[in-house]
Amino acid sequence: MNFQKNINALKTMLRRELNRTFRIWRQTLIPPLITTTLYFFIFGHLLGSRLGAVSSFSYLQFLVPGIVMMSILNNAFGATSAPVFILKFQRNFEQMLVSPMSNHIILMGFILSGVMRALLISILVMGVALLFTFLPLSHITLLITSGILAAITFSLVGTVNGLLAESFDDISWVPTFLLTPLTYLGGVFYPLTALPVFWQKVSLFNPIFYLIDIFRYGFLGLHAINPIITLSLLGSLIIVLYGCAYYLIKYSPRLRP
């Protein structure tokens, strides 16, 4: 399959996923906006006025980057995990595998669809945040880069989860028992220095902490970890996850009769 045909196949996959996102917009767009509005109102506005400032920024300003990153992670994961599993469950994945499309194009289609949905939701969430507070942009290039890399990472996590899942319960296991706890313990609602020393060290083993930290640095210029270290870890994680997803697409017997 030549280059132009691969590009057309990739565009078709992206068009299908975007159409699905907007076709069921009540499920894909509205719930994240309602949830984040409640976060901003309850934690940022009501409680934030009592908690005071964090490093010269209001608590609401400190909270916004974590909430936006949380929406990126959740939506990137959700945009790939369920669709991949449904394609596998309905035996449609086999048709993609026997088509002239390369496995890399199939994987890139899933990744980019997750990235587009995650970034779309994040823009809407930031629009909601602007109704509550002003958002400074200290390092806009790093902000955009870290947001895209985070979306790629969790699009890959969702893809791997969808490829490995054997039932719909397996799809819900990761966000319920892994993604949500790690997100809440990743510094969304508090600075690292607010924790005892022992738990500060434990937080360093939480990958989501690094994503939130570098994203907050892009907004506010505050960071607990050197951004270069975070970008290096992100790049390494993406390479590992991409390799796992590609291996499963190419060799997994679960995708073949």
Side-chain angles (χ1 to χ4, degrees):
M1 193 173 184
N2 62 35
F3 177 78
Q4 187 58 48
K5 289 183 178 179
N6 270 312
I7 294 299
N8 290 337
L10 181 60
K11 289 179 179 179
T12 301
M13 287 187 66
L14 296 179
R15 190 182 305 115
R16 181 194 64 191
E17 291 304 315
L18 282 177
N19 287 339
R20 188 180 69 86
T21 297
F22 287 107
R23 186 175 65 251
I24 55 173
W25 60 272
R26 294 178 182 85
Q27 301 172 39
T28 57
L29 302 181
I30 300 301
L33 294 181
I34 294 175
T35 301
T36 53
T37 300
L38 291 174
Y39 277 131
F40 291 143
F41 182 71
I42 296 172
F43 288 95
H45 183 66
L46 296 181
L47 296 180
S49 59
R50 294 170 172 80
L51 294 175
V54 179
S55 299
S56 76
F57 294 99
S58 70
Y59 180 73
L60 183 55
Q61 288 176 317
F62 176 85
L63 180 66
V64 168
I67 297 297
V68 175
M69 177 55 72
M70 190 165 63
S71 70
I72 290 175
L73 304 185
N74 288 328
N75 285 281
F77 177 87
T80 53
S81 58
V84 168
F85 175 76
I86 291 172
L87 283 172
K88 186 177 69 172
F89 180 77
Q90 296 176 340
R91 316 298 293 186
N92 291 331
F93 215 112
E94 298 169 13
Q95 300 176 23
M96 297 174 66
L97 292 175
V98 300
S99 72
M101 294 172 61
S102 73
N103 292 332
H104 287 292
I105 291 297
I106 294 173
L107 183 52
M108 286 300 299
F110 292 132
I111 293 172
L112 292 178
S113 65
V115 170
M116 288 191 301
R117 176 169 157 183
L119 295 183
L120 172 62
I121 298 296
S122 69
I123 291 171
L124 295 176
V125 169
M126 282 191 283
V128 173
L130 289 173
L131 300 177
F132 293 88
T133 187
F134 166 74
L135 291 175
L137 296 174
S138 297
H139 305 279
I140 189 167
T141 301
L142 186 62
L143 177 71
I144 296 171
T145 301
S146 60
I148 292 174
L149 290 178
I152 292 173
T153 301
F154 275 81
S155 295
L156 283 165
V157 172
T159 301
V160 171
N161 182 228
L163 293 170
L164 292 175
E166 297 182 355
S167 68
F168 283 101
D169 290 336
D170 294 335
I171 293 295
S172 62
W173 185 90
V174 171
T176 302
F177 296 104
L178 188 63
L179 183 55
T180 300
L182 289 179
T183 300
Y184 282 107
L185 297 174
V188 174
F189 301 101
Y190 55 83
L192 185 66
T193 53
L195 297 175
V197 175
F198 172 77
W199 290 107
Q200 289 184 32
K201 294 180 179 178
V202 171
S203 295
L204 298 179
F205 294 94
N206 181 354
I208 294 180
F209 165 75
Y210 292 86
L211 295 174
I212 293 172
D213 185 69
I214 193 172
F215 202 63
R216 183 171 283 133
Y217 178 68
F219 272 111
L220 309 179
L222 303 176
H223 65 86
I225 304 296
N226 189 317
I228 300 299
I229 295 176
T230 301
L231 290 175
S232 301
L233 292 173
L234 262 179
S236 302
L237 185 58
I238 288 172
I239 291 171
V240 171
L241 288 170
Y242 189 95
C244 291
Y246 182 80
Y247 178 86
L248 290 171
I249 290 175
K250 189 171 183 178
Y251 297 109
S252 176
R254 298 179 183 181
L255 302 180
R256 295 161 177 84

